[in-house]
């Protein structure tokens, strides 16, 4: 498996304040994404204006995105507090797998939505 998020303290320590600021900003965005994701899932779940299947698609996409954000927290923990050596820990492997799941799901979702709309348009009965 290819690990794209493979930083450790050996690579980031020479640039002392820069990576701490970057990690702080990223952590702020992660927390705000989790809060916004929970609010949007609640609002989409309680609305009645959208069809049930569209709501389920939106909720599942947001849940997959929030899972990716949590896995990014795991990878950030490894990058900041992990060992100084180049090792493959189970946390890093799980984080990389969730990243691949997120990219694959979001790519497939756009294709599925396009096919769904095409079938709906093609088989529409006036």
């Amino acid at each position: 498996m290819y690990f794209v998020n493979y930083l450790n303290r050996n690579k980031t320590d020479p640039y002392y304040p820069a990576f701490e600021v970057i990690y702080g900003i990223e952590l702020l965005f992660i927390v705000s994404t989790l809060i916004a994701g929970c609010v949007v899932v609640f609002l989409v779940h309680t609305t009645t204006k959208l069809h049930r299947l569209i709501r389920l698609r939106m909720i599942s996409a947001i849940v997959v995105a929030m899972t990716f954000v949590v896995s990014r927290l795991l990878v950030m923990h490894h990058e900041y507090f992990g060992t100084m050596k180049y090792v493959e820990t189970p946390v890093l492997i799980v984080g990389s797998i969730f990243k691949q799941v997120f990219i694959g799901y979001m790519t497939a979702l756009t294709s599925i939505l396009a096919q769904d709309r095409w079938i709906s348009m093609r088989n529409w009965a006036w």
Side-chain angles (χ1 to χ4, degrees):
M1 176 175 285
Y2 179 66
F3 297 110
V4 287
N5 301 336
Y6 223 135
L7 294 175
N8 58 19
R9 296 298 292 184
N10 282 338
K11 295 178 183 175
T12 61
D13 276 346
Y15 311 103
Y16 165 65
F19 274 97
E20 278 69 17
V21 170
I22 291 171
Y23 285 147
I25 292 171
E26 186 175 4
L27 191 61
L28 180 71
F29 279 123
I30 285 174
V31 169
S32 63
T33 300
L34 287 174
I35 292 170
C38 291
V39 169
V40 170
V41 164
F42 175 74
L43 291 176
V44 168
H45 178 68
T46 57
T47 187
T48 57
K49 301 286 183 184
L50 296 172
H51 191 269
R52 181 178 41 142
L53 293 178
I54 294 174
R55 287 186 294 167
L56 285 175
R57 284 182 189 151
M58 292 171 69
I59 289 173
S60 63
I62 294 169
V63 167
V64 167
M66 288 179 12
T67 306
F68 167 69
V69 167
V70 170
S71 72
R72 179 64 190 138
L73 276 175
L74 295 175
V75 173
M76 274 182 64
H77 182 270
H78 171 77
E79 289 174 355
Y80 196 74
F81 297 112
T83 61
M84 296 288 230
K85 297 183 290 185
Y86 191 77
V87 295
E88 294 177 1
T89 61
V91 172
L92 190 61
I93 292 171
V94 167
S96 296
I97 288 172
F98 275 125
K99 181 175 184 172
Q100 298 302 321
V101 166
F102 171 74
I103 292 171
Y105 182 80
M106 291 302 167
T107 304
L109 185 65
T110 56
S111 173
I112 289 169
L113 288 175
Q115 290 173 1
D116 178 49
R117 295 296 91 204
W118 180 77
I119 290 171
S120 297
M121 180 190 70
R122 184 117 169 117
N123 297 325
W124 182 260
W126 294 93

